[in-house]
Amino acid sequence: MSLSALYGATLLSGLGTGVLLVMANWLLLKLYESSTIIGILTAASYFACFLALPVLSGWLDRYHRRHLLQRIYVVTGVIQLVLAGFALAGGTELILLAVSVILSVLVRMLDQMARLAIAQQLVPKARYREVSRHLEILRQGITLVSGVIVAVLIDKIALHHLLILDAATYLCGGMLLCLVQCQHQGGAATKSQSKLTELREGLSFLKQNHYFFSLMVVTLVPYVLVLSQNAIHPAHVEEVLQLDGDAYALIGVVFGVGAVAAPVLLTWIHRLGLLREKVIFVGFVGYLSASCIILLWPGFYATCIAMLLFSASHSVVRIERLAFMMEYAPVSLVGRISGVFEFIGLISVVLVTSMIGVIADQFSVNSAWAAMLVIILVGAVLFSLSCYRAQRSLITSAAGEDTEC
């Protein structure tokens, strides 16, 4: 019952936010006709997360995680209702969109870390990979359903309606969290500690687990690029494909289909017994292939195929990352360890998103896609090197043990 309630709250809380974030980019492009503004707002959202991260990650290990998440949902729902009131009263759309998007991204970051920590408490270690797949199916199912809703509502719905929808889903998700029964297993963080000290505790654990740290950092690359491509996706549809909002929404639906299909396919892949490293490498190859397709064949159907590969590859890598995190991170430290990786990811998103938006405006959208191709290629090389070093380390350790014998 607790796990089902967590899944339901995840679905509900993410639905309104998914619609809001997709629609916000399109609204901004129509209002200002600039990918740079979209990139700046996205970067500002993740910079706000960067500033709040030491506090939020410490909260996850200090307070009861379900109670914390529930209160955040309720407060967020109330704030979005207030913003909807301002929108109805004729408030400036740019300011309202900026506040709403930044708030939504902040809550989504806390939501992801809290779900991981709560799921880790609810199930035995043998089920971590399965639960990671289920959470990803839900998360990407939200992407798919949000895309369908956007396809129906794009250019037909006002900003205040979007904010009311987001508020309603958060409030309903908060009520559903009442059914989640989990114990408070934090306690390592104390109120007297500074927030950065709490993050350093997570970092000190990672220093003792070099392979875990390097693998988790390198697999952040697809995550960073999926978020960064939001800055150029609307411009790609309008400038390169020369299509309208309906096409933008439809491509979003296709992205959601790929994201949902990947975890289902991964269930079959896991039964084959493939090592985690090989599965992640397949994800990198899929992302590289998608980047090449979108550059070499600039058409609507080619873009749909590329988006299928982007989303499926991102989901595959993300599932393995989360399962790896659940297996290696102690329950009492998972908030701070998640915080370290979110910290690294947020810095990367702020830098890469700003760069991608500027490249798209100053040069061309295809130049921005080419820059993303270079970044994912570097990520794939670094991942291969990390795996090679880990394998060499194991061989050396085994040889040393044989020598002692």
Side-chain angles (χ1 to χ4, degrees):
M1 172 63 80
S2 291
L3 194 58
S4 299
L6 179 65
Y7 289 164
T10 298
L11 183 62
L12 277 173
S13 64
L15 188 60
T17 298
V19 173
L20 175 67
L21 293 179
V22 174
M23 288 286 287
N25 288 340
W26 185 254
L27 286 172
L28 284 170
L29 184 70
K30 300 305 287 184
L31 284 170
Y32 300 99
E33 298 183 352
S34 172
S35 295
T36 300
I37 288 181
I38 299 175
I40 289 172
L41 178 56
T42 304
S45 302
Y46 289 100
F47 183 70
C49 292
F50 168 78
L51 295 177
L53 186 59
V55 177
L56 298 180
S57 59
W59 283 358
L60 277 177
D61 289 336
R62 182 186 300 155
Y63 302 119
H64 193 293
R65 288 157 181 166
R66 193 261 289 174
H67 292 165
L68 174 64
L69 192 58
Q70 192 172 28
R71 288 164 187 167
I72 291 293
Y73 278 6
V74 172
V75 170
T76 303
V78 171
I79 292 174
Q80 296 289 49
L81 284 176
V82 171
L83 292 175
F86 280 119
L88 270 172
T92 306
E93 288 193 342
L94 177 60
I95 296 174
L96 293 174
L97 273 171
V99 173
S100 180
V101 167
I102 290 171
L103 176 65
S104 297
V105 172
L106 269 171
V107 176
R108 188 172 64 176
M109 180 189 69
L110 175 66
D111 197 10
Q112 290 171 0
M113 294 193 297
R115 282 201 310 267
L116 177 71
I118 293 170
Q120 189 184 34
Q121 293 176 233
L122 293 178
V123 298
K125 190 171 183 178
R127 292 188 61 198
Y128 284 172
R129 233 179 176 186
E130 173 194 345
V131 170
S132 180
R133 285 198 308 270
H134 291 168
L135 286 172
E136 187 66 12
I137 289 172
L138 279 171
R139 181 177 179 275
Q140 302 303 348
I142 292 167
T143 303
L144 175 58
V145 175
S146 299
V148 172
I149 294 174
V150 170
V152 173
L153 299 180
I154 197 163
D155 295 327
K156 301 173 186 174
I157 186 171
L159 176 59
H160 65 272
H161 290 138
L162 288 175
L163 296 171
I164 291 171
L165 174 63
D166 196 27
T169 54
Y170 271 118
L171 293 172
C172 292
M175 288 188 285
L176 197 54
L177 280 175
C178 293
L179 301 176
V180 176
Q181 301 296 323
C182 65
Q183 300 298 317
H184 174 44
Q185 295 193 23
T190 63
K191 292 185 179 181
S192 61
Q193 288 179 310
S194 72
K195 308 309 176 188
L196 289 177
T197 299
E198 292 173 0
L199 272 185
R200 287 193 197 104
E201 290 177 350
L203 188 59
S204 64
F205 171 83
L206 295 171
K207 286 179 179 178
Q208 302 167 17
N209 298 270
H210 299 291
Y211 177 59
F212 172 62
F213 179 70
S214 61
L215 185 69
M216 292 293 289
V217 168
V218 173
T219 51
L220 281 171
V221 174
Y223 162 76
V224 170
L225 292 182
V226 162
L227 294 176
S228 299
Q229 76 182 33
N230 290 333
I232 56 171
H233 186 195
H236 178 80
V237 171
E238 192 169 68
E239 296 175 19
V240 178
L241 302 182
Q242 297 184 342
L243 297 172
D244 57 10
D246 291 335
Y248 172 73
L250 184 57
I251 291 172
V253 173
V254 172
F255 187 93
V257 170
V260 172
V264 177
L265 180 62
L266 204 52
T267 304
W268 174 73
I269 292 174
H270 285 163
R271 288 174 184 167
L272 296 178
L274 284 181
L275 294 175
R276 173 177 286 119
E277 289 78 5
K278 291 184 178 179
V279 175
I280 292 174
F281 187 75
V282 168
F284 273 99
V285 171
Y287 207 106
L288 282 167
S289 303
S291 300
C292 292
I293 289 171
I294 212 163
L295 281 169
L296 298 175
W297 294 283
F300 175 74
Y301 294 109
T303 299
C304 288
I305 294 170
M307 288 301 162
L308 276 172
L309 284 172
F310 276 136
S311 57
S313 302
H314 170 59
S315 290
V316 165
V317 175
R318 181 182 168 81
I319 288 168
E320 296 299 333
R321 281 188 72 252
L322 292 181
F324 199 37
M325 170 79 78
M326 293 171 76
E327 290 171 13
Y328 279 81
V331 173
S332 60
L333 281 173
V334 69
R336 277 157 285 178
I337 293 171
S338 297
V340 171
F341 292 117
E342 289 290 341
F343 189 84
I344 296 168
L346 290 172
I347 294 174
S348 304
V349 168
V350 170
L351 295 175
V352 174
T353 302
S354 302
M355 179 190 73
I356 293 298
V358 170
I359 290 174
D361 275 345
Q362 298 300 318
F363 298 97
S364 68
V365 174
N366 281 339
S367 298
W369 285 118
M372 294 176 69
L373 173 62
V374 172
I375 294 171
I376 195 66
L377 185 58
V378 171
V381 171
L382 291 175
F383 174 74
S384 301
L385 286 174
S386 297
C387 294
Y388 174 74
R389 287 173 182 169
Q391 189 175 20
R392 286 296 301 270
S393 178
L394 287 173
I395 292 172
T396 303
S397 299
E401 290 175 3
D402 290 342
T403 302
E404 291 177 4
C405 293

